């Protein structure tokens, strides 16, 4: 326990931002769960973060009110965008969400009264590591319950084969819209926590580098399970920090090499629900050792053989 406490003290900031990046990755997984590849959580995070910054600046609201506002704004924005995004085919959806991220930055720069423009907006930190840990735990519990529900089964079916899901009577567009709104809610929540921890929010806070980190965390951690998003984000945050303690120069290169190795030997990610431990079967269950029943006598081929038998 003492070693864990020392580790958390040394890497407290890394662990905190690992959890927040994990929420962004979880928001990406929420839409990917239903077969929609999207980086729109970056935009929803910007909505949540700037709404929280405005509420704190103008009305001095607390963190929990800001979280509620961020989740609400992210959900509503995702619902509205879903009527446009979900009409597109697979790769066009991803391109449209990338365009959303680029356009969001343009709006942030050109609305200085609301966003602070290029100078950004300062905030007062109100969250702690334990609060963020509790929030992430609640989100994971929600995803676990959803995974065990009928929605989870429908989402997995839509992801694997939308045509088969439609044949079974599943409304694929409805399931994808629910996943997209869930992605907006978690993205808005993550944006509030990101702004609160950084104590500053600007045009580059929610940009393409965050989108890359989200996608890479989901792929690395495992795109087929909700817990993979958290694991992937933690690896992305901790690996450079740990390597920098042993390698002065080039730790980013070593970080990239290790990530490539992990993806080669674990193509479905670190967390893979289909992966099972390969155990050696007992001797008595091996096919080669099972005694085969004696072969039946061949059927008579002539009348004489039939009478003689």
């Amino acid at each position: 326990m003492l070693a864990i406490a020392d580790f958390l003290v040394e890497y407290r900031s890394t662990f905190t931002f690992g959890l927040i990046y994990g929420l962004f990755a979880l928001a990406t997984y929420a839409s990917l769960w239903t077969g929609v590849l999207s980086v729109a959580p970056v935009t929803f995070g910007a909505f949540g973060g700037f709404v929280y910054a405005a509420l704190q600046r103008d009305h001095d609201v607390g963190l929990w009110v800001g979280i509620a506002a961020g989740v609400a704004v992210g959900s509503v924005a995702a619902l509205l965008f879903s009527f446009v995004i979900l009409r597109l085919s697979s790769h066009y959806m991803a391109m449209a969400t990338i365009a959303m991220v680029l356009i969001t930055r343009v709006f942030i720069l050109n609305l200085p009264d609301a966003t602070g423009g290029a100078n950004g907006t300062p905030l007062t930190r109100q969250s702690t590591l334990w609060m963020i840990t509790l929030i992430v735990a609640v989100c994971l519990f929600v995803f676990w319950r959803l995974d065990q529900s009928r929605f989870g089964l429908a989402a997995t079916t839509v992801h694997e084969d939308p045509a088969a899901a439609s044949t079974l009577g599943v409304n694929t567009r409805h399931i994808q819209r629910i996943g997209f709104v869930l992605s907006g809610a978690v993205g808005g929540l993550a944006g509030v926590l990101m702004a609160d921890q950084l104590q500053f929010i600007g045009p580059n806070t929610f940009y393409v580098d965050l989108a890359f980190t989200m996608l890479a965390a989901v792929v690395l951690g495992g795109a087929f399970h909700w817990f993979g998003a958290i694991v992937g984000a933690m690896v992305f945050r901790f690996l450079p920090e740990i390597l920098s303690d042993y390698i002065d120069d080039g730790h980013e290169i070593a970080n990239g090499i290790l990530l490539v190795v992990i993806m080669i030997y674990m193509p479905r990610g670190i967390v893979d629900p289909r992966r099972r431990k390969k155990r050696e079967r007992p001797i008595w269950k091996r096919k080669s050792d099972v005694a085969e029943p004696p072969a039946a006598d061949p059927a008579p081929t002539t009348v004489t053989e039939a009478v003689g038998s």
Side-chain angles (χ1 to χ4, degrees):
M1 294 297 294
L2 184 60
I4 296 176
D6 293 339
F7 181 82
L8 289 178
V9 169
E10 183 177 0
Y11 294 101
R12 184 184 184 90
S13 177
T14 304
F15 187 73
T16 301
F17 281 99
L19 290 174
I20 296 174
Y21 277 101
L23 285 177
F24 275 110
L26 197 63
T28 304
Y29 169 81
S31 60
L32 188 61
W33 193 6
T34 62
V36 178
L37 179 59
S38 165
V39 295
V42 176
T43 296
F44 304 142
F47 288 169
F50 277 104
V51 166
Y52 172 58
L55 290 175
Q56 189 184 100
R57 180 190 61 210
D58 300 334
H59 304 285
D60 196 24
V61 301
L63 177 65
W64 298 110
V65 175
I67 287 176
V71 170
V73 170
S75 301
V76 172
L79 178 62
L80 296 177
F81 279 113
S82 69
F83 290 100
V84 177
I85 300 296
L86 298 183
R87 292 179 178 272
L88 305 175
S89 57
S90 57
H91 55 285
Y92 290 109
M93 288 184 187
M95 294 175 62
T97 57
I98 293 174
M100 286 173 57
V101 175
L102 300 177
I103 294 172
T104 299
R105 186 174 184 272
V106 174
F107 274 99
I108 293 172
L109 288 171
N110 288 277
L111 295 174
D113 294 337
T115 64
N119 295 324
T121 303
L123 294 95
T124 302
R125 179 183 296 172
Q126 301 185 32
S127 61
T128 63
L129 173 59
W130 301 113
M131 292 171 62
I132 296 175
T133 304
L134 176 62
I135 292 170
V136 173
V138 171
C139 290
L140 291 178
F141 175 77
V142 171
F143 272 81
W144 174 70
R145 291 294 298 167
L146 288 174
D147 187 42
Q148 304 298 318
S149 67
R150 296 176 63 181
F151 168 79
L153 179 60
T156 303
T157 306
V158 172
H159 174 80
E160 296 293 337
D161 194 338
S166 299
T167 304
L168 295 172
V170 177
N171 188 335
T172 57
R173 184 65 59 82
H174 181 65
I175 295 296
Q176 289 178 338
R177 180 164 289 116
I178 293 176
F180 204 74
V181 172
L182 180 62
S183 173
V186 179
L189 167 64
V192 171
L193 296 178
M194 175 74 82
D196 187 80
Q197 278 294 310
L198 289 175
Q199 302 182 70
F200 172 82
I201 185 171
N204 294 324
T205 305
F206 303 97
Y207 201 43
V208 290
D209 54 343
L210 178 57
F212 165 77
T213 303
M214 289 189 322
L215 286 176
V218 172
V219 173
L220 177 64
F224 299 91
H225 196 275
W226 46 267
F227 194 62
I230 302 295
V231 174
M234 284 297 180
V235 171
F236 260 95
R237 292 298 301 175
F238 272 97
L239 203 55
E241 293 293 332
I242 295 175
L243 288 177
S244 63
D245 295 337
Y246 301 97
I247 305 175
D248 294 333
D249 297 322
H251 64 274
E252 293 182 357
I253 298 176
N255 181 28
I257 293 174
L258 285 176
L259 294 178
V260 170
V261 169
I262 291 175
M263 290 189 216
I264 290 175
Y265 289 98
M266 297 179 180
R268 290 175 59 90
I270 298 174
V271 180
D272 182 8
R274 296 184 181 181
R275 187 182 298 126
R276 296 290 184 270
K277 294 182 179 180
K278 296 181 179 179
R279 299 178 180 178
E280 185 179 1
R281 298 188 63 185
I283 296 177
W284 58 85
K285 289 187 178 181
R286 295 180 186 175
K287 184 177 181 180
S288 59
D289 297 334
V290 176
E292 296 182 358
D297 294 334
T301 57
T302 62
V303 176
T304 306
E305 291 180 0
V307 173
S309 63

